[in-house]
Amino acid sequence: MLDNRPTLPPEIARRRTFAIIAHPDAGKTTLTEKFLLFGGAIQMAGQVRAKGEARRTRSDFMQMEKDRGISVSASAMSFDFDSYRFNLVDTPGHSDFSEDTYRTLTAVDAAIMVIDGAKGVESQTQKLFEVCRMRDLPILTFCNKMDREARDTFDIIDEIQENLAIDVTPASWPIGHGRDFLGCYDMIHDRLELMSRADRNIVGESVRLNGLDDPKLADHIPAAMLEKLREDIEMARELLPKFDQQAISEGTLSPIWFGSAINSFGVQELMRGMADYGPQPQPLKTDARQIDPAEKKVTGFVFKVQANMDPKHRDRVAFLRLASGHFKRGMKLLHVRAGKPMSVSNPVLFLASDRELTEEAWAGDIIGIPNHGQLRIGDTLTEGEAIRFSGIPSFAPELLQTCRANDPLKSKHLEKALMQFAEEGAAKVFKPAIGSGFIVGVVGALQFEVLASRIEQEYGLPVRFEPSQFTSARWLAGDKTAVDKVVNTNKQHIATDHDGDLVFLTRLQWDIDRIERDNDGVTLTATKEMMV
């Protein structure tokens, strides 16, 4: 990308802010663990389902995530690797939590896509990948689980190129797979990387070579495998696209590394790749202008709110992506939506579930701001300029159910709990204009279980979800007189969401078409921008 942007201050230029995307079970949590291990953030990588609290996975901290071994809340972690500062945003891989992931991807500059060597590209990977493509995010690919039975390397690369319509260039090439997996040949640096099977937390040895004809290769690789390796790499160099930094930055070419996260193999090469080829903090769009990370004044936006991270304190933490400037603790920033200054006195940086007060942060960093409900998803904080970051989507839910407290006297408490979850972005909460109770909308059925268990654990409120007569929700927009007319003639279909915006609830697509047909100037939309 040849551009005339100012060069970034070294502190900002060394930052790499990225997310890891994957289908459930491709090994994303394990990879995240190993990143933290090699970044020196944790001493021992615990397996997801290993026994003993001491070895619980560090990036999954909600009880339900620990019980099920799935990541449902995207958390952000910062750590140093060599001279770089990595800001890694963990995303839920489970498809029922995809909206959270879409929003997380608005806060990063690149993504690492993890695929399973045996299963290849799976449905959820495809969905997440499409979001990355919408934003032209640079993507690095890691093909995991090569130490189990995996498919042919060319097949895997072909499948990615066909299904995801992106060029793939091998950064490393696997030697054998399953039981015979020995390691990889590093195609960028012409080195042999061997896997150690003795200790999962130790990196195998690396042998420097003089190309593929180096006689040292024969000391480490059986003759038949060596011959296949030479043939494969020759074919790959003929048939596959060459390594091209600009195409990677533009998001049209993805370098692929092969390895086994659980055996710590290939992980450091991938981290090195993110450091060398991943983008520096990028400019971000607002409703008024583009914000460059090198600007002196601090700006940032909230892309996630997490309630009750510490159940004892009922706290809420807003995750803020800094878009520009050098932030210092205690700064007064303008909260654009509220139009009021807000002093940020106890910002935190996250190292897995440990948080530390931070004295400063730079563009590209993600800081947590503890607050009591002032900050919501989509909010902008600046040093005075009234701008709003655009492109943080909110989607119409696909499943609607009525939520009631088992104890009818507790309905006030229920309202408070549901509003918290709505502001956190965990669910949509609609208050019907007629009748009591709340209608909760989610993307996937598993979210109802998570909500019920969290409301009970965090608020001591047993609740039940019951089928609702409605199946879809659309936001009402358009000319005020026309909208009022629709509201008055369709009272039984009208509700408000937690921002107070009008929503039309219905069972039938026919209803939606009818409203738009009979009322000029009224539109019913399935997404709304999280800008207030």
Side-chain angles (χ1 to χ4, degrees), residues 66-354:
K66 291 174 180 170
D67 298 345
R68 293 193 175 217
I70 55 171
S71 304
V72 294
S73 54
S75 42
M77 288 159 270
S78 303
F79 53 94
D80 287 320
F81 175 70
D82 288 357
S83 59
Y84 294 88
R85 162 53 62 100
F86 279 4
N87 294 310
L88 162 58
V89 186
D90 192 22
T91 57
H94 200 287
S95 62
D96 287 3
F97 298 91
S98 50
E99 184 171 339
D100 207 9
T101 308
Y102 290 136
R103 283 200 293 262
T104 300
L105 291 173
T106 59
V108 296
D109 302 310
I112 288 177
M113 174 169 72
V114 185
I115 58 176
D116 180 321
K119 296 182 186 149
V121 177
E122 296 171 87
S123 58
Q124 185 60 17
T125 321
Q126 201 145 356
K127 265 167 112 174
L128 294 170
F129 181 83
E130 279 157 17
V131 182
C132 295
R133 284 310 291 268
M134 271 169 12
R135 304 197 48 239
D136 292 327
L137 280 183
I139 292 174
L140 278 59
T141 305
F142 183 66
C143 183
N144 193 16
K145 305 193 181 180
M146 292 305 293
D147 57 326
R148 304 197 190 164
E149 283 316 306
R151 295 180 11 207
D152 177 72
T153 310
F154 283 106
D155 284 354
I156 293 172
I157 290 178
D158 277 352
E159 183 176 305
I160 298 173
Q161 300 201 119
E162 269 174 40
N163 286 357
L164 304 180
I166 188 171
D167 288 332
V168 177
T169 182
S172 72
W173 198 267
I175 304 165
H177 57 80
R179 283 196 179 152
D180 305 328
F181 181 62
L182 296 179
C184 287
Y185 183 76
D186 180 338
M187 291 176 66
I188 302 174
H189 305 104
D190 268 328
R191 296 195 283 242
L192 181 63
E193 304 288 350
L194 297 170
M195 183 171 89
S196 148
R197 286 183 184 262
D199 178 349
R200 286 185 159 165
N201 289 337
I202 287 184
V203 184
E205 60 176 316
S206 165
V207 182
R208 290 198 173 274
L209 299 167
N210 206 347
L212 277 169
D213 301 326
D214 194 315
K216 276 194 293 201
L217 274 170
D219 303 343
H220 300 282
I221 304 175
M225 285 170 93
L226 181 53
E227 193 179 340
K228 182 171 175 359
L229 175 69
R230 286 182 172 138
E231 276 171 22
D232 282 356
I233 289 185
E234 197 176 327
M235 257 171 74
R237 284 185 168 151
E238 285 292 308
L239 301 172
L240 294 170
K242 302 271 175 288
F243 199 89
D244 171 358
Q245 175 68 55
Q246 185 167 344
I248 294 172
S249 306
E250 287 166 359
T252 56
L253 175 70
S254 175
I256 184 167
W257 282 262
F258 292 84
S260 157
I262 201 149
N263 287 304
S264 303
F265 182 77
V267 177
Q268 277 188 305
E269 287 71 31
L270 177 66
M271 292 171 83
R272 187 70 281 142
M274 177 54 80
D276 294 344
Y277 314 112
Q280 302 176 338
Q282 295 294 301
L284 294 167
K285 289 193 185 72
T286 69
D287 55 356
R289 61 190 187 84
Q290 186 159 289
I291 301 283
D292 196 278
E295 290 178 26
K296 293 273 186 286
K297 291 200 162 172
V298 171
T299 59
F301 65 93
V302 175
F303 65 94
K304 179 178 176 63
V305 173
Q306 176 102 36
N308 305 334
M309 285 181 78
D310 181 349
K312 291 195 285 292
H313 292 119
R314 269 259 185 280
D315 64 341
R316 300 168 61 169
V317 173
F319 286 84
L320 183 89
R321 154 76 197 240
L322 285 173
S324 65
H326 178 197
F327 167 86
K328 298 187 186 71
R329 181 159 103 98
M331 257 182 152
K332 268 201 167 24
L333 294 175
L334 171 69
H335 179 343
V336 176
R337 174 174 57 89
K340 296 191 185 120
M342 176 174 182
S343 134
V344 185
S345 50
N346 48 357
V348 286
L349 270 183
F350 292 89
L351 288 175
S353 53
D354 304 334

Side-chain angles (χ1 to χ4, degrees), residues 334-439:
L334 171 69
H335 179 343
V336 176
R337 174 174 57 89
K340 296 191 185 120
M342 176 174 182
S343 134
V344 185
S345 50
N346 48 357
V348 286
L349 270 183
F350 292 89
L351 288 175
S353 53
D354 304 334
R355 18 176 165 169
E356 293 173 8
L357 263 182
T358 178
E359 290 302 325
E360 58 170 8
W362 295 81
D365 282 338
I366 287 166
I367 56 173
I369 302 178
N371 68 97
H372 292 290
Q374 299 95 317
L375 291 173
R376 295 187 188 172
I377 293 170
D379 277 349
T380 300
L381 295 180
T382 69
E383 278 193 67
E385 192 179 355
I387 48 172
R388 292 193 292 241
F389 285 88
S390 53
I392 301 177
S394 181
F395 300 95
E398 292 162 26
L399 302 167
L400 299 174
Q401 289 196 358
T402 309
C403 180
R404 298 185 195 284
N406 290 353
D407 174 354
L409 298 174
K410 292 267 172 79
S411 61
K412 253 318 199 217
H413 295 292
L414 178 62
E415 178 167 5
K416 194 174 162 213
L418 288 174
M419 285 305 160
Q420 282 234 321
F421 290 123
E423 289 178 9
E424 194 183 309
K428 300 281 177 296
V429 176
F430 304 119
K431 180 92 180 89
I434 295 176
S436 65
F438 293 90
I439 291 175

